[in-house]
Amino acid sequence: MSGSLPARPAVPAVWPMYRAMVGVGLLCGLLIVSVFLWTRPVIERNRAEALERAIFRVLPEARSSRSYRLAEPGRFERVEGPAAGDRLVYAGYDEQQRLVGIALEARGMGYQDVIHVLYGYAAEAGAVIGLQVLESRETPGLGDKIESDPGFLENFERLDVALEPDGAALAHPIEFVKPGEKRHPWQIDGITGATISSTAIARILDESASWWIPRILGRLDDFRGEE
């Protein structure tokens, strides 16, 4: 008995499918890069404007500001134009161009993600005189109270960051205390229900102030050269 074998099903053409997938992938990648390049200047401009507004919030007496970068060997150099990168600080001046304080950025881990803040330092008072949260993803309604809770923000109207007599370290580390237990000007009264986030702010400020303030206080004339 003779007969023919059943015909094999046609093998799908792989190359056209592969080519189409690669083409779609390249097109999507090109669109993503194009959107990023198109929006990047807008994003950077918005960030610069937000930072400028924050500088005047944490240095209430300032009417103008200038950017400086910490250079070797420990001096601060004026930065002209848009500034980016590490070791930047922002000097604030009153209407007579007298130095009223320095605004400093600081970052650290919060409950969910990195918290990015700007705080103002007044050398004559030896104190932090303002705090602004620049970026935070803390829990809405709880951790995000660090941005708006009036009682918490009062901690930073005159937070003691005076140095030891030798100028090498803070006389008293910034520390978190439970709500209602603040007894000293270097303590931060926490927020009920947002203990981790408010503790994080205390830690971030302590680490930043411990590093920056000894360097700034010894070089205040660097910021006064253009008065």
Side-chain angles (χ1 to χ4, degrees), residues 190-206:
I191 304 173
T192 302
T195 301
I196 295 176
S197 300
S198 43
T199 301
I201 292 292
R203 183 184 68 252
I204 291 168
L205 286 186
D206 181 64

Side-chain angles (χ1 to χ4, degrees), residues 8 86 156 220:
R8 291 183 177 181
D86 297 330
F156 313 105
L220 284 179

Side-chain angles (χ1 to χ4, degrees), residues 2-168:
S2 62
S4 60
L5 294 173
R8 291 183 177 181
V11 178
V14 176
W15 171 243
M17 294 174 59
Y18 175 75
R19 184 173 56 191
M21 292 174 62
V22 170
V24 171
L26 289 174
L27 179 60
C28 291
L30 181 61
L31 288 173
I32 291 171
V33 172
S34 299
V35 170
F36 172 76
L37 293 176
W38 180 67
T39 58
R40 184 175 180 180
V42 177
I43 293 172
E44 291 181 347
R45 184 171 63 251
N46 290 341
R47 285 179 176 172
E49 291 174 354
L51 176 61
E52 185 176 11
R53 290 193 299 270
I55 290 170
F56 295 118
R57 289 194 188 104
V58 302
L59 298 173
E61 295 183 8
R63 298 297 177 266
S64 63
S65 68
R66 295 197 289 262
S67 301
Y68 289 82
R69 190 186 306 277
L70 179 62
E72 297 300 334
R75 67 178 180 275
F76 289 88
E77 296 179 346
R78 174 81 184 272
V79 178
E80 299 289 352
D86 297 330
R87 296 197 170 191
L88 284 173
V89 301
Y90 312 95
Y93 303 87
D94 64 14
E95 293 176 350
Q96 286 74 42
Q97 289 300 298
R98 293 174 298 201
L99 180 68
V100 297
I102 309 292
L104 302 152
E105 293 183 78
R107 294 174 177 82
M109 195 65 195
Y111 177 65
Q112 295 192 133
D113 205 340
V114 172
I115 299 174
H116 180 193
V117 303
L118 184 80
Y119 64 98
Y121 166 62
E124 290 185 4
V128 169
I129 57 172
L131 178 103
Q132 175 81 29
V133 177
L134 299 178
E135 185 176 359
S136 170
R137 295 184 179 87
E138 298 302 270
T139 307
L142 293 173
D144 65 351
K145 290 181 180 179
I146 58 174
E147 303 178 40
S148 58
D149 185 86
F152 183 69
L153 295 177
E154 282 181 8
N155 286 296
F156 313 105
E157 293 178 358
R158 197 177 179 88
L159 181 69
D160 182 19
V161 287
L163 298 180
E164 294 278 8
D166 62 3

